[in-house]
């Protein structure tokens, strides 16, 4: 059996054992009635439960600053699900909470910070053929990369710190999906609810390195980004890009409180897994509970151009990553052991997280699957904000970003027409579970950040 297959089976066996012993199901919090249950008449929110016994004294209490009643709603979830609801000797399944990572638990993107550091420190290797780095890379992008980054020696370190045009091409393709000249970098057909080419491209930029070498690069980038002042930038090629990343104190506290309250916490990201692991570990989420894009390694342990798949899709070139419906697939497969095509489908309440948190349309499916609360960091992303502001079942919670929140959008969200992205990339109306169309939403409601 090959090195890659052995590693994959070992990781999955370990995670399946953890699931079998601690995660088999999740409970709908008693603070939320079923979707078709009675409401208290305020914005369709389910009626509060009758007063019951207080949670045990040792259950964690949130103290961070949140907008409106968000902290109270999160505290109620902690108090009414799992061991804090049933007291010592809890025998039921441990509830699950799933967080996106970039711009959800931290401010800014840790994969971008790592790529920036690698480009400024000559840590990427030149591929023999740029077109092999993505099945969708356009001839224009391949030519731009060859011109800016050179052709030889293949496999050698690229001196990108002294090649600003090369750093520009790589970082702009990752950031915008276009070359420095504005030409599309990717073309062809892909499922827009299962992948996005520039995200799938990033692990291939680290081909030839080992995952441990990527972790070392990510660690150096993390140290630099945490030391950089909030709002600062760094020169990358000819451009200025964000230099800093910060853990959100409120999210760090929430993750810790959920873990102390008996929840099992996972991170599911569309970033590169060795990078996300380095950042998630300090908040108490280890590599076994961190899911992101997984590159396949060769017999010598080096990253290749292939990635692991999900939901019946095996090793692939980036057609399936933890992105939109792909995040649901990995949640179902990694946490609940659902295999094959069924992993793409919404599961019953016992096989869904109690809490989901995200910031973008990439997160909308798994956050929407949560049975208790669905936390959205407001970055004005249309589909997830349509669902959160519509709040059809009273379980959505909108929170402005904790650092440098965006001003209110100038216009509303086109929920009734184009905010839903079809697999072919075209727009369509956002629909509720019952098939009705979500009306256009004007903007997120404001709210003071409470002490």
């Amino acid at each position: 059996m090959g090195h890659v297959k052995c590693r994959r089976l070992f990781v999955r066996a370990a995670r399946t054992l953890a699931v079998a012993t601690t995660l088999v199901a999740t409970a709908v919090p008693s603070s939320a009635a079923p979707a078709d249950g009675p409401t208290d008449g305020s914005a369709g929110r389910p009626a509060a439960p009758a007063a019951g016994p207080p949670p045990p004294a040792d259950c964690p209490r949130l103290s961070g600053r949140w907008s409106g009643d968000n902290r109270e709603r999160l505290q109620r979830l902690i108090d009414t699900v799992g061991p804090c609801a049933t007291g010592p000797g809890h025998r039921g399944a441990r509830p699950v909470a799933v967080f996106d990572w970039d711009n959800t638990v931290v401010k800014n993107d840790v994969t971008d910070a790592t790529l920036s550091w690698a480009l400024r420190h000559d840590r990427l290797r030149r591929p023999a053929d740029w077109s092999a780095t993505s099945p969708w890379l356009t001839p224009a992008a391949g030519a731009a990369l060859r011109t800016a980054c050179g052709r030889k020696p293949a496999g050698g370190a690229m001196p990108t710190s002294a090649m600003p045009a090369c750093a520009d091409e790589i970082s702009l393709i990752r950031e915008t999906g276009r070359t420095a000249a504005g030409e599309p970098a990717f073309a062809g057909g892909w499922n827009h609810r299962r992948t996005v080419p520039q995200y799938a491209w990033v692990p291939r930029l680290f081909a030839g390195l080992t995952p441990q070498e990527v972790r070392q690069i990510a660690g150096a980038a993390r140290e630099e980004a945490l030391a950089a002042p909030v709002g600062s930038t760094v020169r990358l090629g000819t451009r200025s890009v964000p230099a800093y990343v910060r853990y959100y104190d409120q999210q760090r506290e929430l993750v810790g409180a959920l873990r102390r309250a008996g929840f099992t916490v996972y991170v599911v990201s569309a970033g590169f897994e060795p990078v996300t692991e380095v950042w998630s570990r300090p908040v108490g989420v280890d590599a076994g509970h961190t899911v992101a894009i997984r590159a396949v390694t060769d017999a010598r342990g080096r990253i290749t151009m292939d990635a692991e798949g999900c939901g019946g899709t095996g090793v692939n070139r980036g057609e399936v990553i933890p992105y939109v419906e792909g995040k649901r697939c990995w949640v179902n497969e990694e946490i609940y052991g659902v295999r094959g095509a069924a992993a793409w489908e919404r599961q019953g309440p016992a096989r869904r997280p109690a809490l989901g948190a995200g910031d973008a349309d990439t997160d909308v499916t798994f956050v929407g699957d949560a049975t208790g609360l669905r936390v959205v960091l407001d970055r004005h992303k249309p589909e997830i904000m349509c669902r959160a502001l519509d709040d059809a079942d009273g379980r959505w919670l909108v929170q402005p970003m904790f650092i440098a929140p965006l001003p209110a959008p100038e216009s509303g969200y086109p929920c009734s027409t184009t905010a839903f992205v079809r697999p072919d990339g075209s727009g369509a109306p956002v629909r509720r579970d019952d098939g009705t169309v979500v009306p256009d939403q004007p903007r997120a409601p404001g709210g003071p950040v409470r002490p």
Side-chain angles (χ1 to χ4, degrees):
M1 183 178 293
H3 169 81
V4 174
K5 182 176 258 185
C6 285
R7 173 185 174 274
R8 189 180 307 124
L9 290 175
F10 175 80
V11 171
R12 286 181 176 169
R15 286 175 172 161
T16 301
L17 178 60
V19 169
T21 55
T22 61
L23 303 179
V24 177
T26 185
V28 178
S30 58
S31 60
D36 58 355
T39 68
D40 61 7
S42 59
R45 184 172 298 170
D58 59 350
C59 282
R61 315 307 296 170
L62 298 175
S63 61
R65 295 166 62 90
W66 291 77
S67 178
D69 66 349
N70 289 348
R71 187 178 71 195
E72 287 77 8
R73 295 179 67 190
L74 289 163
Q75 186 66 60
R76 191 157 59 244
L77 179 77
I78 291 171
D79 292 345
T80 56
V81 175
C84 279
T86 60
H90 173 78
R91 294 178 179 274
R94 295 181 66 179
V96 174
V98 181
F99 290 77
D100 169 56
W101 187 257
D102 300 297
N103 285 302
T104 295
V105 181
V106 298
K107 172 71 173 181
N108 288 332
D109 189 294
V110 303
T111 296
D112 286 345
T114 302
L115 180 59
S116 170
W117 193 95
L119 289 168
R120 289 182 286 110
H121 292 83
D122 304 338
R123 294 304 301 272
L124 301 184
R125 299 186 179 186
R126 183 179 286 108
D129 181 2
W130 282 102
S131 66
T133 61
S134 171
W136 305 288
L137 196 76
T138 61
L145 289 163
R146 286 191 297 274
T147 299
C149 302
R151 296 172 181 265
K152 296 180 180 180
M158 292 188 291
T160 45
S161 62
M163 302 169 69
C166 180
D168 283 349
E169 290 293 351
I170 291 172
S171 60
L172 281 168
I173 289 173
R174 150 66 183 181
E175 181 181 329
T176 68
R178 291 184 173 273
T179 67
E183 296 290 330
F186 303 101
W190 61 85
N191 187 324
H192 290 249
R193 299 191 73 81
R194 296 189 178 187
T195 192
V196 61
Q198 56 260 46
Y199 287 18
W201 191 56
V202 171
R204 291 156 181 77
L205 296 175
F206 292 90
L209 303 178
T210 66
Q212 183 56 31
E213 287 173 323
V214 175
R215 293 185 192 99
Q216 291 169 352
I217 294 170
R222 177 179 178 273
E223 183 177 355
E224 178 185 78
L226 291 176
V230 171
S232 63
T233 60
V234 65
R235 195 74 168 175
L236 177 60
T238 65
R239 305 185 306 128
S240 293
V241 299
Y244 78 100
V245 176
R246 286 294 185 277
Y247 291 94
Y248 285 136
D249 290 339
Q250 293 88 339
Q251 296 286 54
R252 184 195 290 265
E253 181 192 47
L254 176 59
V255 169
L258 289 165
R259 294 180 67 241
R260 292 194 305 276
F263 284 69
T264 300
V265 179
Y266 278 81
V267 166
V268 179
S269 169
F272 189 18
E273 191 165 272
V275 174
T276 308
E277 288 173 354
V278 167
W279 283 85
S280 63
R281 188 178 301 112
V283 302
V285 182
D286 62 19
H289 295 82
T290 300
V291 178
I293 301 175
R294 292 177 182 156
V296 172
T297 55
D298 63 18
R300 296 173 60 185
R302 298 174 303 186
I303 293 165
T304 70
M305 297 292 179
D306 293 326
E308 294 186 17
C310 182
T313 301
V315 171
N316 64 91
R317 302 301 300 277
E319 290 86 352
V320 173
I321 65 172
Y323 180 83
V324 194
E325 291 173 2
K327 289 195 174 186
R328 168 191 280 169
C329 185
W330 259 275
V331 166
N332 288 342
E333 191 167 283
E334 293 290 325
I335 302 177
Y336 298 107
V338 180
R339 297 285 182 255
W344 294 101
E345 304 300 325
R346 172 178 279 189
Q347 302 299 302
R351 287 186 167 187
R352 283 155 56 191
L355 181 144
D359 69 285
D361 291 346
T362 62
D363 309 313
V364 66
T365 301
F366 92 85
V367 172
D369 284 347
T371 60
L373 284 180
R374 303 157 188 161
V375 181
V376 179
L377 275 288
D378 181 9
R379 294 181 60 229
H380 301 347
K381 303 302 181 181
E383 183 180 348
I384 199 167
M385 288 304 295
C386 286
R387 297 193 184 280
L389 295 175
D390 182 55
D391 197 14
D393 60 6
R395 290 172 167 82
W396 293 86
L397 182 159
V398 176
Q399 172 65 41
M401 291 188 296
F402 299 106
I403 297 174
L406 296 175
E410 295 182 1
S411 59
Y413 298 101
C415 311
S416 67
T417 54
T418 60
F420 179 87
V421 178
R422 294 188 179 104
D424 65 3
S426 62
V430 178
R431 295 184 181 274
R432 304 184 183 103
D433 290 345
D434 64 6
T436 57
V437 172
V438 174
D440 291 350
Q441 299 294 321
R443 53 177 284 177
V449 176
R450 300 180 58 184

